[in-house]
């Protein structure tokens, strides 16, 4: 007889941010909570939800991609992770720095 045991874990965050973004470069903000099954994700900046479109992409693994960072991208971000057990969110600041000068450039 074979028994399959499934484990489910509500989302929890161990670490999250801060984020350092380089002006005019692509930024990848990671949202990696511990969770089983894999959660769905929502991103917020200043209380407003960020949807995929224009310069933003929310990837299925929870990464928020910002194309061509500008100074308005600085601020407070929140990632919300949701699975059938519960939801959890984490907040972190993002700072925009001057254009990256180390090799390789963005």
């Amino acid at each position: 007889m074979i028994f399959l045991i499934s484990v489910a874990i509500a989302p929890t965050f161990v670490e999250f941010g801060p984020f350092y973004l380089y002006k005019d470069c692509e930024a990848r903000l990671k949202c990696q909570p511990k969770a089983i099954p894999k959660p769905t994700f929502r991103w917020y900046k200043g209380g407003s939800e960020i949807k995929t479109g224009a310069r933003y992409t929310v990837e299925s693994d929870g990464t928020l991609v910002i194309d061509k960072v500008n100074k308005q991208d600085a601020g407070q971000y929140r990632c919300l992770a949701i699975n059938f057990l519960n939801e959890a969110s984490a907040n972190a600041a993002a700072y925009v720095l001057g254009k990256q000068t180390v090799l390789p450039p963005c």
Side-chain angles (χ1 to χ4, degrees):
M1 196 176 257
I2 297 174
F3 293 97
L4 296 176
I5 299 173
S6 296
V7 175
I9 301 171
T12 57
F13 286 88
V14 176
E15 83 182 51
F16 184 73
F19 302 106
Y20 298 96
L21 318 178
Y22 291 98
K23 188 175 182 304
D24 298 327
C25 294
E26 177 185 271
R28 300 182 68 79
L29 286 64
K30 300 282 188 180
C31 182
Q32 299 173 315
K34 290 186 178 186
I36 299 174
K38 181 178 113 177
T40 57
F41 299 92
R42 292 187 191 147
W43 277 89
Y44 298 84
K45 181 178 185 274
S48 297
E49 186 172 359
I50 299 170
K51 300 271 188 179
T52 292
R55 297 182 313 114
Y56 303 98
T57 304
V58 179
E59 296 182 337
S60 63
D61 70 353
T63 300
L64 172 64
V65 180
I66 304 172
D67 187 42
K68 296 197 179 195
V69 168
N70 62 51
K71 65 181 180 178
Q72 286 77 29
D73 293 315
Q76 284 290 355
Y77 286 81
R78 178 169 70 105
C79 179
L80 176 65
I82 305 161
N83 72 11
F84 76 92
L85 289 173
N86 205 353
E87 62 183 49
S89 65
N91 299 294
Y95 304 95
V96 175
L97 307 173
K99 193 164 186 168
Q100 185 174 346
T101 57
V102 295
L103 295 177
C106 63

